[in-house]
Amino acid sequence: MRKAKFALLPLSVFVAMNVHAEKTEQLDVINVVTENTGAKSKTNVVTLADLNKSTNQDLRGVLSKEPAVNFGGGNGGTSQWVTIRGMGQDQIDIKVDNTSSDAQLFHHQSRFMLDPSLIKRIDIRKGAGSASAGIGATSGSIEATTVEAKDLLREGQDFGFKLNAGVSSNKGHSQGATIYGKAGVLDALFSGNWQTIENYKGGKGYVNKEGSQTVKNSAIGERGLLAKIGVDLNEEHRIVLSHRQERYHGSRALREEFDFSQSYLYGTASDLRPGQTLSTIFTGKNNRGQNTYYILDSNGQFIVNDANNSPRYRITTQNTTNLEWTGKKMGFISEAKANAYLMEMSRKEIDSHSELKIVTKGANVNLDSEIGESHWVKYGVNYRHQEGKPNALASNIKANQKKEDVGLYLEGIWGFGPVTLTTGARYDHFKFKANTGKEVSRGDFNPSAGLIWQVTNNLSFNTNLNYASRSPRFYEVMLAGSRVRDVADNLRAEKARNTEIGFNYDVNENLSFNGSYFWQKVKDAHAVKNNTIVNSALLRNQGYELGAAYKLGAFKFRLGVAESKPETTALNGATLDNTVLAVAMGRTWTTALSYKFEQPSLEIGWKGRFVEGKTGSPSRGSNTGEAAIKQAGYGVSDFYASWDVNKNLTLNFALNNAFNKYYKSHSQRAGINSLPGAGRDFRLTANYTF
């Protein structure tokens, strides 16, 4: 009877997205965490050993256990739009080794470039962050820390190397190599990872207007490089210099999140070319309010819309150089971390000899002081300067866009027996220069507070109230050299408020539950009116995440659910691109089932992701239509096996989208031209470490 009740419990109450954190003996840990009341509660733990046992080659695979984090379709980071709790890519940030940029090259291209092949840790922050969360932490962030030589060297080892290779049936291959070692106070790591991804096939039933099952212009080459040199000045002080590069190259569509080969060409009489005519089939209105119709060729046939997406060879590169210092036991300062960095993102088109750039310079100083045995104070400063550099400036454009952000924070974590109280205050100031040459600046004060009550050793409750602000983003660099985008005289930062309550309950050593409910509001959100950035939008969001995990010997089971209801409202006649601010998506369930054999050392498992249908995401193609449409629900199952042949060699097998489901992620623009998810994919990888 008890077994029957347990089987029904996940479906009827609140089961699970989050694996209860297990202890690991290695330093090479990727912790996917969520911020609660200034403290960090782990939702699941992944190690580098776990990555060695998987076939994941992108961030979507690494974070697949998180139902509140969603990725759009397509290959390569530049086409995959990511959302956290339904908040779009213009509301969240990605940070690697405490380096970041919030500017974008082009609004049809994702801002996220990250090769996860050598990540040590990932933190997922959801909603507005506490005072110490950094610049612009209004709706969440993905924060990664790259691995160092010390994390890979085994006990007694001074030199090592790692080789990896993989093949995918849908469709491509990868290879990589890493060498690392130490000599005295010096340690170093050099790593390279390469992927060649061909045009992939959608699931069963996907056919574009040319009659092909292949998603056009989805092929891409990827390269990730990392060099990291560390020096231990003494036991308490360490300096690390690193350089990281991610590069994506291939014949890509201009609007990388669209597959226009799924539709026919449409337009007005002014769009016709010699021999073409307009049909009588009405297709809507363009961004000038004109009626549009399908266009026919000289034979009276419909024309596939693919050319409208201007496919051509493009190279997108991000280079980041970072100098970091860490220190401990410096009198009143218990721990310190500081870094200074230079980041450059560029997009080149070889045929047209054009290049766009975003140059970011930044620095952070983060200090911690322990007060007594139960209290902790965190304080510091964050600085970031960004400049957008178009290929050329038209005569009516006066300057490159520039932005400077400075933030100061003070946060206390106070322990009073079973209660932990967090209090914080943050001051952020921005100075923004538009391409008209006009400048605006403003400062904002943001408080935060949180509480954790450890009722028993197995049960705790938590709550937090965080305020955060985000300065205006650049107008996309691709268009900023030819189109005027001014700023309002009284332009303010966006102001976010996030309230959250939650619990963690370990029923026993085998079964655990956790959950949270949140309310979020972003006022003074930035919109465009008369080619001017103004405060003229309001964002609201609320939802929940619930989870549980069960473990018995070598058997593990997990099931999770997350739902959010983001809403975006344009005010005073402003224009919004909703899908980069907030995306309505269906309730998402994630599941995992695995069993680990001792002899041979073999783990087999199943992972599932199930998204319910949803109405609300705007269907926006190359025009400004924003009609809400119904997005179909879907379910995708992945099976995997990992075999530790010996202590050095691991072989991994995966069958992703095993039932060849044709689906489209909700974490992208809706509509006929949105990218489908990949169909059935067999993967095999090998990892050899010495």
Side-chain angles (χ1 to χ4, degrees):
M1 183 68 178
R2 292 179 63 186
K3 290 183 179 179
K5 288 183 178 179
F6 177 74
L8 292 174
L9 183 60
L11 300 178
S12 59
V13 197
F14 32 61
V15 267
M17 81 188 160
N18 303 326
V19 176
H20 183 63
E22 297 178 74
K23 293 181 180 179
T24 62
E25 297 179 356
Q26 298 180 342
L27 295 176
D28 48 348
V29 175
I30 298 176
N31 286 318
V32 179
V33 307
T34 179
E35 182 174 270
N36 264 327
T37 69
K40 292 178 179 177
S41 63
K42 295 175 181 176
T43 59
N44 60 70
V45 174
V46 186
T47 67
L48 278 180
D50 291 329
L51 283 182
N52 287 340
K53 296 178 181 180
S54 78
T55 60
N56 295 324
Q57 297 289 338
D58 55 20
L59 203 57
R60 171 166 50 191
V62 173
L63 299 179
S64 62
K65 296 179 181 179
E66 282 282 346
V69 180
N70 290 276
F71 289 83
N75 284 336
T78 52
S79 65
Q80 293 179 5
W81 287 20
V82 61
T83 58
I84 298 178
R85 290 178 171 174
M87 304 306 287
Q89 67 167 8
D90 272 12
Q91 289 297 304
I92 62 178
D93 291 304
I94 188 166
K95 301 178 182 179
V96 182
D97 293 336
N98 214 14
T99 69
S100 67
S101 172
D102 69 353
Q104 61 182 4
L105 291 168
F106 188 38
H107 77 281
H108 287 292
Q109 175 182 317
S110 171
R111 293 188 299 106
F112 296 91
M113 296 182 66
L114 177 63
D115 180 356
S117 61
L118 274 177
I119 297 172
K120 179 170 65 174
R121 171 186 174 117
I122 296 179
D123 295 349
I124 304 296
R125 297 181 186 266
K126 302 170 184 176
S130 64
S132 60
I135 296 170
T138 54
S139 296
S141 63
I142 299 173
E143 302 180 11
T145 303
T146 56
V147 72
E148 299 182 2
K150 286 186 172 184
D151 301 318
L152 297 175
L153 289 169
R154 298 169 180 170
E155 185 175 354
Q157 188 181 33
D158 292 327
F159 173 80
F161 65 86
K162 176 181 177 182
L163 302 175
N164 61 275
V167 63
S168 164
S169 67
N170 194 18
K171 196 172 192 183
H173 59 272
S174 65
Q175 55 278 325
T178 303
I179 58 173
Y180 44 90
K182 66 177 182 179
V185 298
L186 181 70
D187 59 85
L189 176 148
F190 302 94
S191 176
N193 195 59
W194 293 264
Q195 288 192 74
T196 300
I197 303 175
E198 301 176 26
N199 290 336
Y200 70 94
K201 292 183 178 180
K204 183 179 180 181
Y206 169 78
V207 179
N208 61 35
K209 295 299 183 181
E210 294 180 339
S212 171
Q213 295 179 311
T214 300
V215 180
K216 297 185 65 176
N217 303 310
S218 60
I220 193 170
E222 301 182 5
R223 182 180 77 189
L225 305 175
L226 175 66
K228 211 167 189 180
I229 300 174
V231 179
D232 293 321
L233 302 179
N234 52 45
E235 291 185 357
E236 280 77 40
H237 297 273
R238 176 173 170 81
I239 294 177
V240 176
L241 175 65
S242 66
H243 182 80
R244 178 174 51 88
Q245 183 189 86
E246 289 91 14
R247 172 170 289 180
Y248 298 83
H249 57 91
S251 295
R252 303 287 280 180
L254 173 64
R255 306 165 185 86
E256 292 201 27
E257 89 279 24
F258 286 138
D259 172 21
F260 279 8
S261 67
Q262 299 185 55
S263 63
Y264 290 121
L265 187 66
Y266 59 89
T268 67
S270 61
D271 300 315
L272 296 179
R273 295 182 179 179
Q276 295 178 345
T277 58
L278 287 181
S279 73
T280 58
I281 303 175
F282 174 69
T283 61
K285 293 182 179 292
N286 61 17
N287 55 12
R288 298 183 296 276
Q290 300 170 316
N291 291 342
T292 60
Y293 304 86
Y294 284 123
I295 297 176
L296 306 179
D297 64 17
S298 57
N299 297 317
Q301 301 297 313
F302 292 105
I303 302 172
V304 176
N305 200 23
D306 185 58
N308 188 39
N309 215 359
S310 186
R312 63 185 68 172
Y313 193 85
R314 296 182 172 92
I315 303 173
T316 304
T317 307
Q318 181 170 285
N319 285 292
T320 306
T321 301
N322 187 39
L323 179 63
E324 181 182 273
W325 163 75
T326 54
K328 299 178 181 178
K329 301 178 182 179
M330 296 177 291
F332 180 71
I333 301 174
S334 304
E335 296 184 10
K337 178 180 284 189
N339 74 304
Y341 64 93
L342 172 64
M343 178 188 298
E344 181 178 285
M345 180 180 285
S346 66
R347 170 169 161 157
K348 295 181 180 179
E349 291 191 356
I350 305 301
D351 294 341
S352 61
H353 304 287
S354 66
E355 182 176 11
L356 318 170
K357 285 185 180 181
I358 297 172
V359 179
T360 304
K361 303 173 184 177
N364 302 281
V365 178
N366 303 293
L367 308 174
D368 295 352
S369 294
E370 188 176 4
I371 302 177
E373 297 182 355
S374 304
H375 309 307
W376 201 267
V377 177
K378 304 165 70 175
Y379 48 101
V381 58
N382 311 117
Y383 171 81
R384 186 171 64 193
H385 181 277
Q386 300 177 89
E387 180 177 2
K389 298 183 177 182
N391 184 59
L393 299 181
S395 59
N396 60 335
I397 304 301
K398 305 302 181 184
N400 288 338
Q401 297 175 100
K402 296 181 181 180
K403 185 174 69 165
E404 182 178 82
D405 290 285
V406 180
L408 304 170
Y409 71 90
L410 174 64
E411 186 172 273
I413 301 175
W414 318 99
F416 302 100
V419 175
T420 300
L421 173 68
T422 301
T423 58
R426 182 177 182 88
Y427 178 79
D428 286 290
H429 184 273
F430 76 85
K431 182 168 67 174
F432 186 98
K433 183 177 182 179
N435 64 6
T436 60
K438 183 177 179 179
E439 292 186 357
V440 294
S441 61
R442 189 179 179 91
D444 291 278
F445 174 77
N446 297 300
S448 60
L451 188 71
I452 299 176
W453 177 28
Q454 193 72 43
V455 182
T456 68
N457 289 335
N458 297 328
L459 176 64
S460 66
F461 295 99
N462 56 75
T463 184
N464 68 278
L465 173 63
N466 292 337
Y467 288 81
S469 58
R470 178 188 291 278
S471 59
R473 289 191 184 276
F474 283 168
Y475 183 42
E476 55 197 284
V477 178
M478 174 174 281
L479 302 180
S482 58
R483 299 183 186 179
V484 170
R485 185 56 55 91
D486 207 351
V487 289
D489 293 334
N490 60 345
L491 187 65
R492 303 177 297 278
E494 297 178 348
K495 294 278 288 185
R497 181 187 67 197
N498 191 86
T499 306
E500 190 157 349
I501 57 174
F503 72 94
N504 290 275
Y505 181 38
D506 298 332
V507 180
N508 51 46
E509 63 180 7
N510 303 112
L511 178 64
S512 62
F513 296 90
N514 57 64
S516 64
Y517 197 95
F518 66 91
W519 300 263
Q520 182 178 7
K521 179 180 179 180
V522 181
K523 66 176 184 179
D524 291 332
H526 300 128
V528 177
K529 185 176 182 180
N530 299 326
N531 293 321
T532 301
I533 302 175
V534 297
N535 298 106
S536 197
L538 176 65
L539 282 66
R540 297 180 185 272
N541 197 10
Q542 64 179 350
Y544 62 87
E545 298 174 51
L546 298 167
Y550 181 73
K551 178 182 178 182
L552 183 61
F555 171 81
K556 293 181 181 179
F557 173 72
R558 180 174 45 80
L559 173 66
V561 60
E563 183 175 21
S564 56
K565 298 179 179 179
E567 299 176 356
T568 309
T569 304
L571 306 173
N572 304 318
T575 300
L576 293 178
D577 188 353
N578 287 355
T579 48
V580 296
L581 298 177
V583 183
M585 57 183 52
R587 183 187 295 116
T588 301
W589 301 78
T590 58
T591 59
L593 182 70
S594 67
Y595 189 86
K596 177 68 179 293
F597 297 92
E598 293 295 333
Q599 293 296 332
S601 181
L602 173 68
E603 180 177 338
I604 59 174
W606 163 70
K607 296 185 296 181
R609 191 176 190 91
F610 305 93
V611 181
E612 299 179 19
K614 185 72 173 180
T615 298
S617 290
S619 174
R620 185 177 187 274
S622 58
N623 56 40
T624 57
E626 295 182 353
I629 69 168
K630 172 73 174 182
Q631 293 193 98
Y634 59 89
V636 178
S637 291
D638 303 332
F639 296 90
Y640 67 92
S642 179
W643 177 28
D644 292 324
V645 181
N646 53 46
K647 69 176 183 179
N648 300 109
L649 177 63
T650 300
L651 298 178
N652 307 300
F653 170 82
L655 175 56
N656 294 334
N657 195 359
F659 304 112
N660 203 24
K661 176 69 176 179
Y662 171 39
Y663 70 97
K664 294 187 177 184
S665 170
H666 295 183
S667 186
Q668 61 186 8
R669 301 185 193 276
I672 190 172
N673 293 315
S674 58
L675 287 167
R680 183 183 295 118
D681 185 15
F682 295 90
R683 291 189 178 188
L684 177 65
T685 64
N687 295 286
Y688 182 82
T689 304
F690 173 79

